[in-house]
Amino acid sequence: MSSIKSTILGFPRMGSDRQLKKLVESFWAGKITETELVEGSKKLRAEHWALQTSYGLTEVPVGDFSYYDHVLDTAYSVGVVPERYQNLDKDGGIQAYFAMARGLQNKSIGVDVPSLEMKKWFDTNYHFMVPEISDDQQFSLHSTKVVDEFKEAKELGYNARPVVLGPVTLLTLSKAAKGSSSAPLSHLSKLIPVYVELLGQLAASGAEWVQVDEPILALDLDAAVYQPAFDRVYSEFAKISGLKYLLTSYFDRLGDNLAWAAALPVDGIHLDLVRGASDIDAALSTIPADKVISVGLINGRNIWKANLNKQLDTLNKVIAARASASAPVWVSSSCSLLHSPHSLKPETGHLDEETLGWLSFAEEKIEEVAILAAAAIDRSSVEAQLQSNAAKVLSRQQSERITRPAVQQRLASLNETFYSRQAPFTERQQVQRSALQLPLFPTTTIGSFPQTAEVRKARAQFRKGALSASEYQEFLDAETRKCIEWQDEIGLDVLVHGEFERTDMVEFFGENLEGFVFTKKGWVQSYGSRCVKPPVIFGDVSRPKAMTVDVARFAQSCSPNKPVKGMLTGPVTILQWSFVRDDQPRSQTAGQIALAIRDEVVDLEAAGIKVIQVDEPAIREGLPLRKSDYEAYLKWSVDVFRLATTGVRNETQIHSHFCYSDFNEIFTAIKGLDADVITIENSKSDLKLLGALEVHGYAAEIGPGLYDIHSPRVPSVEEMAARFAALQKYIPAENLWANPDCGLKTRGWPEVKESLTNLVAVAKDARKQHA
């Protein structure tokens, strides 16, 4: 058999110090030119290729870089540019690309276009922009980005493998444009020639292998539809002389799709043997001997050091089974390392040495891949690294910091009474209406208000010791008071304190709970230039003291006539948006978090807070990719939310928030949460929520988002009024709230003030019309 090849499927884009974020945001602000953005990005890519090569990888991926999102890149490259954006790039710039990503509102030139819809990338916290396919869609090679980046790498001397999002996945993740009726996949025959043209340019540029990502192969697919589609695509690709194809899927097992995927005319198949480990035996007996098997052994989605000896056993099993095969075995990451922080190096001196030894970020994962590949050839060459790895894995397993018997005992001792409110919703609703005295179509926001430069500066000064604790608290109190007074002034009905003390809706709670540690620069991309720094859950979770009660009590004192919501993040979202320990079931960790949040909810009620929001925007994100796994997940995710929220009296109103979801798949679970009010993403999805309401019904109160907060664009009164009128056809007036799609932390105050003023005007006008 040929020698082992080592590689990864993709690398984080942002840079060790989020250089790409700074470049892109500087370009948006007009501080740098497009040329400077391009040159700065080229330098960053070169640094990343050099880093990967320095660890001995045989081949580096190219084309995994993006200014905003790789799905958007692919759509843009093949000419999927909706009509509303097509006149924005007359001078050959990238204005249309960023308008598709963020929307564009420029009154001086008469441009006002919203962005594309945004959704979660499978079950990750990364967001992609949803391409829109019209009935008369025409495809063309609009951009040669991946070819250009391949040439860059080649000129620098790197052995590079272009990465392309496959056409079947692209169309499956797309949606029909508004007013169009044809399924996106029906346009496949028109799309294939454009891919062939692109691949032909890669071949002409000297590419040997192309990685074609088709992660929908990890989903439940109708073989009668998808097998012919894949056959058609890859039969055409195979006609291009000189190119070999690595077909990659990840995030779950191939399962029933394995047999026909392995038979496609491609030259290699990638297996995610972290999340799809059950595929291994079937794969070894099914994948032909002349095809490469790429073995994804290093987890691209967590930060724990791999057990290299265990993974080496799996690798050796594959090698032994392929001993007579003519194709080599590749060692790789399970998926792109996009979902991992850049490097552990900045954490030295920040994290304690024991914890540091348990962790592995993207740079360290590259080294793990290289060690496995070397060990498969000659274990003695990396014996020292394997022994060091084994010692650190054992250290984590034996650490007394991880297990806390009291926490585990409390969770184990719960009974059914901890999972139900005192009365059904219909009774609670009447009590709450009497207690809160809210008008018809109550208005509120989702929680956070802009984190201005002044807020970030004060936080930084406090952390550096330049502001005392009392000085910092005075600043936060002043910001909170201003925020509440402004909300009251424009006429919002249920107010929020603005969350100026919180850097992030998960990080804040992790900092106040036992069982978490925090990195210094463990940033991962969420969407566009937005990065998050997930906490690390390393051990059993508990709440040593109240986390938000003092802030909520002060905020409520600033508004004697209107309720101020207590703002909490729910257990599933804290779980999903953290790097989670992998030594016990996720459901058990979520239960521990739920008990901590339950204690906080009870304390908020005791402090006089009448409305408490427990956000679960990530509940859909955690849904397994295979439908056979749905029931177990939905059962425990509903249970932990109810555990967190059912300890209060009937008159306390429990809210929750959900965003960017395919709600039909989880709407029964949303109903099962038994929240009094839900606020839910709606504005970018063409009122898809209404379809879920028609199918499933919803008896409690609901606030579908009236405008998208992920864009700086300000929606008009007329635009929001039309959306609100549509909602009233499906939702009883007495149950309908008016609110934005999500929190306002990333926006600026001018646009927030204008947008919310418009929103309040819509609700007031609706009340008059309903009177």
Side-chain angles (χ1 to χ4, degrees), residues 421-422 598 601-602 605 612 645-650 652 654:
R421 294 287 296 269
Q422 294 175 353
R598 181 186 182 93
V601 167
V602 170
E605 181 185 67
I612 301 171
T645 57
T646 56
V648 293
R649 299 185 299 271
N650 291 334
T652 298
I654 296 294

Side-chain angles (χ1 to χ4, degrees), residues 120 123-125 127 446 499 502 504-510 513 516 518 526 530 532-537 541 567-580 586-587 589-594 597 613-623 633 636-642 644-645 655-661 666 670 673 679 742 745:
K120 292 292 180 74
D123 60 346
T124 75
N125 189 32
H127 303 67
I446 307 305
E499 302 181 18
R502 306 181 191 182
D504 176 86
M505 64 183 291
V506 172
E507 183 178 52
F508 171 82
F509 290 98
L513 295 170
F516 287 75
F518 294 84
S526 178
R530 168 80 170 145
V532 294
K533 189 155 59 68
V536 177
I537 305 178
V541 176
M567 298 300 306
L568 305 173
T569 302
V572 175
T573 297
I574 291 177
L575 185 86
Q576 284 295 129
W577 292 358
S578 300
F579 289 118
V580 184
R586 292 170 69 85
S587 57
T589 303
Q592 294 175 359
I593 299 169
I597 299 301
Q613 183 167 311
V614 181
D615 284 344
E616 286 290 19
I619 198 166
R620 168 60 180 82
E621 175 189 312
L623 190 69
Y633 165 75
W636 68 254
S637 63
V638 167
D639 283 350
V640 297
F641 180 87
R642 292 173 73 120
T645 57
H655 290 224
S656 192
H657 172 66
F658 312 93
C659 63
Y660 300 106
S661 298
I666 64 164
I670 290 176
L673 299 176
T679 51
C742 205
K745 178 172 65 176

